[in-house]
């Protein structure tokens, strides 16, 4: 058994300023994705599910719930750091995620500090689309 078997990426990789988290490339957002997320999250706002409602609001089509993008970013974060190591997680919605778009969650270490007796990393996080549009920007502080 190697030293790294069974360990999370955070346990086997020393973090430094500039460390990039491996991108999380998500499947294309489908109408089924939106319906399933509505059921799971309780966000049944018809603008995410009903094209007639979206068009009546001046949009071409429905778009993904913002919390879906936040969930993807949380998935990226927890794939690197167990939840007990996460000290804060903040996001700002920047643009809509259209149906049929493919989100990509990414992050990098921008600062490492000692605080409250532990080594912590400040991460910049985002979800972007393939055309480069950032739909969600955020940050997290994690204990290393």
């Amino acid at each position: 058994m190697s030293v790294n078997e069974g360990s999370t990426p955070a346990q086997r990789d020393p973090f430094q300023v500039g460390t990039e988290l491996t991108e999380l490339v998500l499947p294309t957002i489908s109408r089924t994705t939106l319906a399933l997320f509505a059921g799971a999250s309780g966000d049944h706002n018809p603008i995410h599910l009903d094209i007639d409602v979206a068009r009546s609001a001046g949009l071409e089509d429905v778009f993904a719930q913002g919390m879906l993008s936040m969930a993807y970013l949380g998935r990226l974060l927890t794939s690197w750091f167990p939840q007990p190591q996460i000290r804060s997680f903040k996001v700002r919605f920047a643009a809509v995620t259209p149906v049929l778009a493919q989100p990509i969650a990414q992050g990098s270490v921008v600062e490492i500090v000692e605080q409250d007796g532990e080594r912590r990393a400040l991460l910049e996080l985002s979800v972007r689309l393939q055309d480069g549009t950032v739909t969600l920007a955020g940050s997290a502080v994690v204990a290393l």
Side-chain angles (χ1 to χ4, degrees), residues 48-130:
H48 300 298
L49 305 169
D50 185 333
I51 193 168
D52 292 332
V53 171
R55 287 186 175 156
S56 72
L59 302 167
E60 288 184 29
D61 205 339
V62 297
F63 60 93
Q65 299 91 340
M67 294 303 285
L68 177 58
S69 293
M70 187 174 177
Y72 289 147
L73 208 49
R75 189 164 124 196
L76 171 74
L77 189 59
T78 57
S79 72
W80 282 82
F81 304 96
Q83 287 184 1
Q85 289 180 230
I86 300 171
R87 301 294 179 256
S88 70
F89 177 41
K90 302 174 184 175
V91 299
R92 175 179 53 83
F93 300 104
V96 299
T97 302
V99 69
L100 304 180
Q102 184 175 27
I104 302 165
Q106 58 190 43
S108 64
V109 176
V110 295
E111 185 177 0
I112 294 180
V113 297
E114 291 285 329
Q115 185 176 358
D116 296 331
E118 65 184 6
R119 185 172 175 248
R120 295 180 178 179
L122 171 62
L123 307 170
E124 281 186 358
L125 306 166
S126 66
V127 175
R128 64 176 168 77
L129 305 179
Q130 287 185 311

Side-chain angles (χ1 to χ4, degrees), residues 6-67:
S7 61
T8 67
Q11 292 169 324
R12 62 179 174 257
D13 289 334
F15 289 90
Q16 303 172 14
V17 172
T19 299
E20 300 279 336
L21 306 185
T22 304
E23 291 183 339
L24 177 62
V25 179
L26 286 309
T28 300
I29 300 292
S30 68
R31 295 176 198 288
T32 301
T33 304
L34 300 180
L36 291 172
F37 188 77
S41 68
D43 182 352
H44 296 280
N45 185 329
I47 204 160
H48 300 298
L49 305 169
D50 185 333
I51 193 168
D52 292 332
V53 171
R55 287 186 175 156
S56 72
L59 302 167
E60 288 184 29
D61 205 339
V62 297
F63 60 93
Q65 299 91 340
M67 294 303 285

